[in-house]
Amino acid sequence: ARSRFDGLVRIGIDETSYKKGHKYLTVVVDHDRGCVIWCGKGYGKKVLEEFLSLLTREQRESIQVVTADGARWIAEAIAERCPNAERAMDPFHAVGWMEDVLDRLRRKEWSEARRAERRLRAAGDEEAAGRAGEKAKSIKGTKYALLKGEERLSGSQQEALAEIKRSDRRLYKAWECKERLRRVIKAGDAETAAILLRSWLNSASHIRIPEVQELSKKVRRHKEAII
């Protein structure tokens, strides 16, 4: 009888949480057939080894591409057990790194604007306090406008983004970085992706936003997998 592990060429590996994030599953999918082929309780190299141990040598050697996030335990297990496999960065996770940075920066900018407003009001500088308050107001409620792809923004979200561009250049520049990284992932071929990624890394490593600079180091470590 044919095994569900026969003929594997392109697979994806990820972990997912359940029970309000307290329990985890490692999930393996066959990209070519579009289906889940294995789940294991927990996550980490030992759990992934359980799956790889179910495969024959021929089945492991037939795997050519493994998509995953940047987890070292996945990269190590695949390098050791699947000699013909190339690791590719899962686009969802690559863009997700930048989205996480952008959302943390959004919360930080809002919090700093509110603190500035209170401090300035206490000092009697109503004009400056008003500007800080307007900045905080322009940031509040913009999470989805900042994280959604530019081409899918609604009219009101486009207006919110325009207001952020006016009131908070740091946050707007971080949003531009997110969109440029999305263009790397959406590139139609590896050569174009490599050119766009080199440009992104150069700008992100020199931008005056520490959170983005730090992320650029992580992206650089996974440069080949992203391409």
Side-chain angles (χ1 to χ4, degrees):
R2 179 180 171 83
S3 166
R4 67 183 184 278
F5 301 143
D6 287 341
L8 295 176
V9 178
R10 290 176 284 265
I11 66 171
I13 301 169
D14 199 4
E15 72 270 7
T16 186
S17 62
Y18 62 103
K19 294 286 186 181
K20 297 184 178 180
H22 296 300
K23 294 183 180 294
Y24 287 85
L25 284 175
T26 296
V27 182
V28 181
V29 300
D30 179 350
H31 286 306
D32 295 294
R33 285 181 288 169
C35 64
V36 173
I37 56 172
W38 186 82
C39 289
K41 289 183 178 180
Y43 68 97
K45 189 175 181 181
K46 287 185 178 180
V47 177
L48 184 54
E49 286 282 358
E50 294 177 18
F51 163 70
L52 295 172
S53 295
L54 296 174
L55 275 58
T56 65
R57 185 183 68 181
E58 290 77 13
Q59 288 168 338
R60 285 186 278 107
E61 289 178 348
S62 74
I63 299 172
Q64 297 177 11
V65 177
V66 177
T67 64
D69 61 14
R72 184 175 297 174
W73 56 270
I74 295 178
E76 290 177 351
I78 294 303
E80 293 168 5
R81 303 294 297 277
C82 301
N84 300 318
E86 182 177 17
R87 185 174 67 92
M89 180 62 61
D90 184 330
F92 172 83
H93 286 99
V95 176
W97 294 340
M98 185 63 226
E99 289 177 340
D100 289 343
V101 167
L102 182 57
D103 197 45
R104 289 199 302 273
L105 185 62
R106 176 188 63 84
R107 296 195 299 269
K108 178 181 177 182
E109 292 288 293
W110 178 84
S111 180
E112 288 180 353
R114 288 301 306 274
R115 284 199 297 269
E117 180 186 11
R118 291 192 293 269
R119 184 177 66 252
L120 290 164
R121 288 202 190 283
D125 192 340
E126 289 297 325
E127 183 178 348
R131 289 195 297 268
E134 285 299 313
K135 178 179 178 179
K137 184 178 178 181
S138 71
I139 296 171
K140 187 176 181 180
T142 59
K143 177 178 180 177
Y144 296 109
L146 288 166
L147 299 185
K148 186 186 287 188
E150 183 177 16
E151 70 283 358
R152 297 189 295 113
L153 291 173
S154 66
S156 61
Q157 288 171 335
Q158 290 175 2
E159 291 174 4
L161 200 61
E163 182 60 26
I164 287 176
K165 182 178 181 180
R166 185 192 66 79
S167 65
D168 195 322
R169 291 295 298 173
R170 266 168 50 91
L171 190 55
Y172 187 77
K173 283 182 175 295
W175 174 82
E176 288 183 316
C177 276
K178 185 264 293 185
E179 286 299 306
R180 290 184 63 197
L181 186 56
R182 286 184 69 240
R183 286 195 280 275
V184 173
I185 298 300
K186 291 167 72 69
D189 59 86
E191 184 177 356
T192 302
I195 293 170
L196 292 174
L197 186 55
R198 281 199 298 270
S199 176
W200 187 91
L201 286 167
N202 182 60
S203 61
S205 61
H206 291 90
I207 196 170
R208 293 182 178 179
I209 305 175
E211 296 89 345
V212 177
Q213 288 182 328
E214 191 62 31
L215 176 65
S216 72
K217 298 175 184 177
K218 183 175 183 177
V219 172
R220 192 178 297 278
R221 290 196 300 271
H222 297 281
K223 177 181 176 182
E224 294 307 316
I226 291 173
I227 293 171

